[in-house]
Amino acid sequence: MKSVPFAFSVSVVVPAMNEAENLPHVFATLPSWIDEVILVDGNSVDDTVAVARSLRPGLRVVRQTGKGKGNALTEGFAAATGDIIVMIDADGSTDGREIHSFVTALVEGADFAKGSRCAPGGGSDDISPIRSLGNTALTKITNWLYGTSYTDLCYGYNAFWARHLDALDLDCDGFEIETLMNIRAAQAGLVIHEVPSHERSRIHGASNLHAVRDGLRVLRTILRERDGRVAAPVRLREEHATAA
């Protein structure tokens, strides 16, 4: 029988495209008490789905109907049934053992738990100098425009109460999904806690992220949202990561 540390159900959404080699490591880090794992398959041509099903009995597979990480996450969120939704990557860069810290932040009062590689206790083995510079600049722009105090804008390890999914109102397809979530969580006046997270290097394969192209998409998202909505100042509190 699994030990359940929380009184709320937790769904983990994992977007994946051709990640068969990485999934054994990723799934090995997931806590045993997770209630639901949803793999959103972006039309993989390798054994991603078969490997995932062999590793996780009861796995739910969503076949992505569109393209891009943003679309994959949106479809995965819509399929989730848990009280809490956690988003992680399928390349091995996000450590499932940190899920305990994200869920703890939510149970202790946060509406949205935002991973940060730049908060004390966080870090990255993977981010390049140009990506780090771009992330810093985009984070500062967002904080200036929206009254937030984020330390790490472009990071895809987040968790939130499923009841706030409508407030996030996600409608983008690419890597800018993380930025859009952070901005709209602030605009909705949600209580946001930053959770220190350590990003690992991708284990196998190459990332689809393009620093300049996707950085420009993020910038356009920041400016577009400012033109269309009014943000509410948000106070952040850092949470210290603990392994499950």
Side-chain angles (χ1 to χ4, degrees):
M1 181 180 296
K2 68 178 182 178
S3 175
V4 181
F6 302 103
F8 304 94
S9 56
V10 178
S11 297
V12 176
V13 175
V14 188
M17 184 173 68
N18 301 326
E19 299 285 8
E21 289 186 285
N22 294 321
L23 288 180
H25 170 82
V26 174
F27 280 23
T29 70
L30 296 178
S32 61
W33 44 264
I34 294 299
D35 297 278
E36 178 180 60
V37 177
I38 299 174
L39 181 88
V40 185
D41 178 53
N43 300 300
S44 298
V45 296
D46 67 358
D47 293 328
T48 290
V49 173
V51 169
R53 282 180 167 150
S54 71
L55 293 168
R56 188 84 187 187
L59 175 81
R60 294 183 59 199
V61 175
V62 172
R63 302 282 186 175
Q64 186 177 355
T65 59
K67 293 183 179 181
K69 183 178 183 180
N71 173 262
L73 285 170
T74 300
E75 294 190 356
F77 295 160
T81 62
D83 300 311
I84 290 171
I85 299 175
V86 183
M87 50 189 275
I88 67 171
D89 292 332
D91 59 5
S93 62
T94 47
D95 188 345
R97 288 166 291 200
E98 294 180 356
I99 290 175
H100 189 280
S101 297
F102 284 84
V103 176
T104 297
L106 296 173
V107 171
E108 291 182 348
D111 297 315
F112 188 90
K114 182 193 175 312
S116 174
R117 297 161 293 184
C118 303
S124 177
D125 301 329
D126 182 63
I127 194 167
S128 65
I130 189 171
R131 285 175 53 210
S132 179
L133 180 62
N135 185 40
T136 298
L138 292 167
T139 300
K140 288 182 178 180
I141 292 170
T142 298
N143 288 339
W144 175 58
L145 290 176
Y146 294 93
T148 52
S149 53
Y150 292 136
T151 63
D152 185 4
L153 183 70
C154 305
Y155 187 45
Y157 203 164
N158 302 299
F160 56 93
W161 290 100
R163 63 177 178 265
H164 296 309
L165 190 56
D166 287 345
L168 297 177
D169 190 24
L170 301 173
D171 57 359
C172 68
D173 295 333
F175 284 99
E176 69 275 13
I177 184 74
E178 294 123 5
T179 295
L180 186 65
M181 293 178 73
N182 295 331
I183 290 175
R184 289 191 176 170
Q187 290 171 319
L190 302 185
V191 176
I192 303 168
H193 291 181
E194 282 199 332
V195 178
S197 177
H198 193 101
E199 180 185 38
R200 314 294 178 180
S201 297
R202 165 181 276 275
I203 302 172
H204 300 285
S207 172
N208 292 317
L209 178 68
H210 187 282
V212 176
R213 178 197 64 202
D214 291 306
L216 289 174
R217 288 181 67 134
V218 169
L219 179 59
R220 286 194 293 268
T221 297
I222 294 169
L223 299 177
R224 182 193 70 223
E225 289 296 301
R226 182 59 180 175
D227 288 340
R229 299 178 181 220
V230 177
V234 176
R235 183 176 180 178
L236 300 181
R237 189 184 78 197
E238 292 173 0
E239 300 289 333
H240 295 289
T242 56

